[in-house]
Amino acid sequence: MREAEVPVTFQPSGQTVYVLRGTGLLEAAADAGIVLDQPCGGLGKCGKCRLVVPRGACQPSPAEVEVFSADQLQAGFRLACQSSVSGPTTVEVPASSLPASYQKILVRAEQAPLAVADPVVRKRYVELPLPGRGDDDPDLLRLEKALGPFEVGLGLLREIPAKLRQAGFRGTAVLSGGRLMDFEPQDTRAESFAVATDVGTTTLVASLLDLNAGSDLAVASRLNPQTQFGDDVLSRIRLVREAPDGLRELNETIIRAVDEMIGELVERAGIRRERIYELTFSGNTTMQQLLCGVDPSSLGEVPFVPTAGRGPLLPAAELGLHVHPRAMAWVLPVIGGFVGGDTVSGMLATGLAEAQGPTLLVDIGTNGEIALSADGKLSAASTAAGPAFEGARISCGMRGSSGAIEKVIVDGRLRTNVIGNVPPVGLCGSGLIDLAAELLRHGLLTPEGRLRTTDQLPDGVLPDLARRLVVHDGHAAFVLASETETRDGSPLVLTQHDVRELQLAAGAIRAGIVLLLQRAGLQPQDLRAVLIGGGFGNFIRRSNAQRIGLLPWQIPRQRIRYQGNTSLAGARLVALSEQARRTAEELARRTEHVDLSCHPDFQRAFAEAMVFPGG
Amino acid sequence: MREAEVPVTFQPSGQTVYVLRGTGLLEAAADAGIVLDQPCGGLGKCGKCRLVVPRGACQPSPAEVEVFSADQLQAGFRLACQSSVSGPTTVEVPASSLPASYQKILVRAEQAPLAVADPVVRKRYVELPLPGRGDDDPDLLRLEKALGPFEVGLGLLREIPAKLRQAGFRGTAVLSGGRLMDFEPQDTRAESFAVATDVGTTTLVASLLDLNAGSDLAVASRLNPQTQFGDDVLSRIRLVREAPDGLRELNETIIRAVDEMIGELVERAGIRRERIYELTFSGNTTMQQLLCGVDPSSLGEVPFVPTAGRGPLLPAAELGLHVHPRAMAWVLPVIGGFVGGDTVSGMLATGLAEAQGPTLLVDIGTNGEIALSADGKLSAASTAAGPAFEGARISCGMRGSSGAIEKVIVDGRLRTNVIGNVPPVGLCGSGLIDLAAELLRHGLLTPEGRLRTTDQLPDGVLPDLARRLVVHDGHAAFVLASETETRDGSPLVLTQHDVRELQLAAGAIRAGIVLLLQRAGLQPQDLRAVLIGGGFGNFIRRSNAQRIGLLPWQIPRQRIRYQGNTSLAGARLVALSEQARRTAEELARRTEHVDLSCHPDFQRAFAEAMVFPGG
């Protein structure tokens, strides 16, 4: 699908992503789920997002020349915020470029080489005394003398006598929390793996983790095959409510996909499935319930009630996943029906609760999720942006896949970037934001969201823009690509209706932000940082998102920071650290869930937010 | 099989046992698993074992006349140690007649009518607020607000949304420890049951418990169908080691039997299987492992290593038992390969650890288990008595079933009691002990265990005894019943070889007692009490067991106390009380396991113990 993209491999994790030439390294890293530290907000000043591009690095930017020595530049040192991908390449990510929540893990790993921080799964190699005259300790007590107390299930209880004897009472105990999972012959400590999965409505991303090093061995991603049953969570909830087999079908579809991804990961890393002892899952509330086979019907009607609040710990085998037969799966806790485990993951991975000064975490999607940390208090809300950013309800809209115009720049004339370097087929969310921002800047669009007709244009509008204005269904419209430029011979036109849809989507998120801030007695300009999580957010241009009012425009652009796939990052953390699980539980329960639809000011705030800044 | 026995029903538990007319009420109660308090040791002095026999009570004994008022006697008050069964009858057991370990439970039950002491399974009726605008708490958090935190498995997680909504958010939560087991519509608190099972090598006894009242609703017992594969544990271990399907077969046989007994119990009590939320099992180490389907092979060879030490908690459904689908089964902890959960149960039920003064708990069987409490220290050992007490290896031996001579008295002449009031078929263990004791008393048997020939008899031997001496295989032998008296026309003869077998059996137990005492620096006369647990011990005559040296003869008979089926009593306690489980674990781990076969003095002690007292 993305034939013209080039591979970028990140080391030491070995993840490979495919991106267009010219994509910034920060974006490529985010695409691979790697969040880089960028305290200066991507201005190339702090030097924190340093990477090493051993071969084929771009020419250094002035900022990079400032930050690095000549030797370093020669060795391939670059700043992710300043460099872009010029061809297939390999990039080394130093641990120091990862934000604190990652570093903590890695630092601890250095202190205790056999244990990454405090993973739930621990392996202990033991050589037990052999039973003999005067030593008739029961098998499990013999093990407990070496390991401390643990619990054991029926399966292992039945297997343990033979396992111990076949191994000559020497081997590796696998413990998960307070439970003995297995006893493996010989020293298998080096082989201890987990899989962290981001269960997105649209995309599934799974990362195979080495529990000793805390590093990723492989990452797999694919379209969530549930999309065949409906693009958004509401259509899937509807299927469950209406089709007798709907829940089973949706559950089996996603379980099969995750199981296949696990197969892909173990094959790529050359490990055995039974060496995966732990699974973690992060997704929105509906996706998490569908993954667990829990009826999400109550999420489809007011007041949108989830089933579990705390994160359930479930046997992977009961879920239908083929890893170690006694592996457990932990699903992230949720805050509400539309503020799910992925938001909790984001709060966890970005350290939102410890942020200095008022900080917002925003995940832009069909449902925008917004979390605010201010004065030690956490609040979160979701807001129904609708599917405009995914291309739906936009006349020439499409997903961010091959053929999508994903970038629009006005640089003397209108220029576009098309995913896959093919003739354009449509306009995806990031391109839509770009286009609207440029039209606002150049006076083709009023702050109220009206496309001007040719005769209403202000003076000095660029000819290349002015000539693209047409009349469509009695309203002004803007031609992005003519018949001759597109793949299928139809022009790509932004209509007045499309602008209204964008206003609704951006307005919903902006209204949510405004109300959350208002409840905390804050103004947008008080924000020290706006963290962008979720898949889509990492592909938008910050300045353009500010221009259309999707993100607060009252703050400097560098306070807005891409965080990559924070849902996956959170799932990784809870696979590596028991403390992270407790923190996730605390975050979910500490966070006040604000129901915007109940908020008396929501309609007014929403109406106001529909107007673009400057209006 | 026991057609001539009469039913005795105990209230309030409703248990019915079938006993011979003339059986003491103490024995009948023990047979029903009811242990009565008897601080005076059955002398009729303390009045603690009082019962009420509303209809058809025997004539009061002088001791009873002393203890009770005329009105009380009229109302049927009797002492269990003084009364015997004269026909089908119903007996009321006051709570005050139960020993402290039982009383504790009942007393607490009175204080908190909805909870018996601290059962692991608790029911809570809740009426939850309905979800609505401004209250979108997740289902499980809504429940947790009412119940406190709990864990939940995948099965219930999937069922809970429908269960809560169908019940209108009002119903009964079933909690087991920290786990939510179920949510039942309406108030089902009154229906909360458990089954405690004594898994004996020969006999299975299961008691259905009302967890609210702490009382028994029904008791079922049957022959352990595993006996078809071998009478003793070693033959069953051998089957597992030699037959590829042996373990599965033995496991399925006992599980099927237990499941049928549960069916019997629920039918008799008129309750539903799904209202049984908890199972407990107490048996010897091998039986417990076979019940769990855990290979007992290592129990069949030195150093006889059990698999689990602590008591495993296992899902009843995984064991193949049909009760509540999420019910758990708890199996008692074991001390060693031949000092199992039944001994721990006995220690728990008799309060051995808190006994005043040195106290011994003895379970006489194929394996004699002995536990000693002295100076706050607990020790335990097993000793291989062999199957003589069960009738094996005795030429005219048989189990204690219909046709067995179970009692021998010399009262001017030799008199016998036969189970079922039928012509005798053989001699069971209690009869064998009686006979040997009488032969010793009347000089027909020397302390060294030699049967005297007619010409070696001392003066004044009763003619009825003297005439029974014959010569058999060149040795003296004693005719217990002639051809004309037995059912099959063969005489019942006690041979010199039979006496040797009895010496081996009694000597093994006596040697164990002597060595345990010796390690504690004690003499038999230091013992304040000898508690008799296990099925067989409750049928022997104490004075005769003392006469042959099976039990310490150096102490007054009243210090020897029957405790009934202490294995079942312990299983009951741990079904009713979480604290009892912890105590059982502590007891099992606190108790020093003495391996007599390793003891340097064992051979000498055993050789000495072979000689009957007085030699």
Side-chain angles (χ1 to χ4, degrees), chain B residues 447-448 500 503-504 506-508 510-512 514-515 601-612:
Chain B
E448 293 73 28
R500 295 289 176 226
Q503 283 179 290
L504 286 168
R510 184 171 152 196
V514 166
L515 286 177
D601 292 345
F602 184 72
Q603 286 312 321
R604 189 185 49 74
F606 186 42
E608 282 174 11
M610 291 274 290
V611 178
F612 293 121

Side-chain angles (χ1 to χ4, degrees), chain B residues 26-286:
Chain B
L26 207 57
E27 272 176 79
D31 205 11
I34 299 171
V35 180
L36 297 167
D37 218 4
Q38 33 167 337
C40 77
L43 294 178
K45 286 184 177 163
C46 68
K48 288 284 186 187
C49 64
R50 60 183 60 192
L51 301 169
V52 183
V53 185
R55 272 177 304 282
C58 296
Q59 279 303 309
S61 73
E64 288 171 322
V65 172
E66 190 81 8
V67 167
F68 296 113
S69 69
D71 280 358
Q72 284 179 315
L73 289 172
Q74 180 62 31
F77 275 83
R78 291 293 183 276
L79 295 176
C81 68
Q82 300 289 312
S83 299
S84 57
V85 175
S86 57
T89 188
T90 294
V91 179
E92 288 163 14
V93 183
S96 60
S97 297
L98 299 171
S101 49
Y102 272 78
Q103 273 187 47
K104 208 164 19 182
I105 299 295
L106 293 165
V107 166
R108 289 196 199 161
E110 283 158 22
Q111 287 170 341
L114 290 174
V116 175
D118 56 337
V120 174
V121 170
R122 287 168 300 129
K123 282 194 158 188
R124 292 271 305 276
Y125 176 70
V126 290
E127 299 190 351
L128 304 172
L130 297 178
R133 281 271 173 204
D135 177 6
D136 61 350
D137 276 343
D139 289 349
L140 293 179
L141 285 185
R142 190 174 298 276
L143 262 170
E144 287 196 357
K145 281 191 178 172
L147 302 170
F150 54 74
E151 289 180 5
V152 69
L154 184 58
L156 186 58
L157 181 67
R158 286 176 173 168
E159 293 173 16
I160 203 81
K163 277 181 188 275
L164 281 175
R165 283 162 186 78
Q166 280 158 17
F169 287 86
R170 293 166 173 217
T172 308
V174 190
L175 292 150
S176 172
R179 208 166 178 80
L180 184 70
M181 280 178 73
D182 212 341
F183 185 84
E184 298 168 345
Q186 298 177 324
D187 186 348
T188 64
R189 281 175 296 181
E191 300 168 59
S192 187
F193 308 106
V195 172
T197 305
D198 165 35
V199 196
T201 309
T202 308
T203 311
L204 307 175
V205 190
S207 170
L208 177 66
L209 297 165
D210 180 331
L211 290 174
N212 291 305
S215 59
D216 300 75
L217 296 176
V219 176
S221 68
R222 60 171 66 189
L223 193 71
N224 183 340
Q226 288 180 335
T227 47
Q228 67 186 282
F229 301 108
D231 274 350
D232 54 21
V233 295
L234 288 177
S235 60
R236 294 180 207 167
I237 294 172
R238 203 176 312 121
L239 180 70
V240 171
R241 294 169 74 122
E242 289 168 8
D245 242 16
L247 176 59
R248 195 184 53 75
E249 204 159 17
L250 283 166
N251 173 250
E252 284 180 2
T253 301
I254 192 152
I255 289 294
R256 206 179 307 122
V258 171
D259 211 41
E260 284 171 14
M261 288 165 81
I262 293 171
E264 213 179 304
L265 292 173
V266 296
E267 203 181 305
R268 260 195 269 155
I271 67 156
R272 289 160 53 194
R273 271 183 185 261
E274 312 84 71
R275 296 292 199 235
I276 297 173
Y277 303 101
E278 192 77 12
L279 304 175
T280 54
F281 292 96
S282 166
N284 63 54
T285 308
T286 303

Side-chain angles (χ1 to χ4, degrees), chain A residues 212-225:
Chain A
N212 290 306
S215 60
D216 301 74
L217 296 177
V219 175
S221 68
R222 61 172 64 189
L223 193 72
N224 183 340

Side-chain angles (χ1 to χ4, degrees), chain A residues 405 413-414 416 418 422-425 464 467-468 479-492:
Chain A
I405 295 176
R413 63 179 189 86
L414 185 121
T416 57
V418 182
V422 294
V425 181
D464 183 48
R467 71 170 179 88
R468 291 172 183 265
V479 178
L480 188 57
S482 68
E483 298 90 327
T484 57
E485 292 169 314
T486 61
R487 192 188 293 177
D488 63 356
S490 331
L492 297 180

Side-chain angles (χ1 to χ4, degrees), chain B residues 481-542:
Chain B
S482 67
E483 297 91 327
T484 57
E485 292 169 316
T486 62
R487 192 188 294 176
D488 64 357
S490 331
L492 297 180
V493 177
L494 183 81
T495 67
Q496 182 60 56
H497 177 263
D498 296 338
V499 175
R500 295 289 176 226
E501 288 290 337
L502 176 64
Q503 283 179 290
L504 286 168
I509 291 183
R510 184 171 152 196
I513 293 176
V514 166
L515 286 177
L516 268 196
L517 289 173
Q518 187 183 299
R519 292 180 79 263
L522 295 171
Q523 301 288 328
Q525 48 270 36
D526 298 329
L527 286 168
R528 280 289 299 269
V530 176
L531 309 175
I532 307 297
F536 175 65
N538 286 280
F539 294 99
I540 62 177
R541 251 69 53 189
R542 294 172 290 180

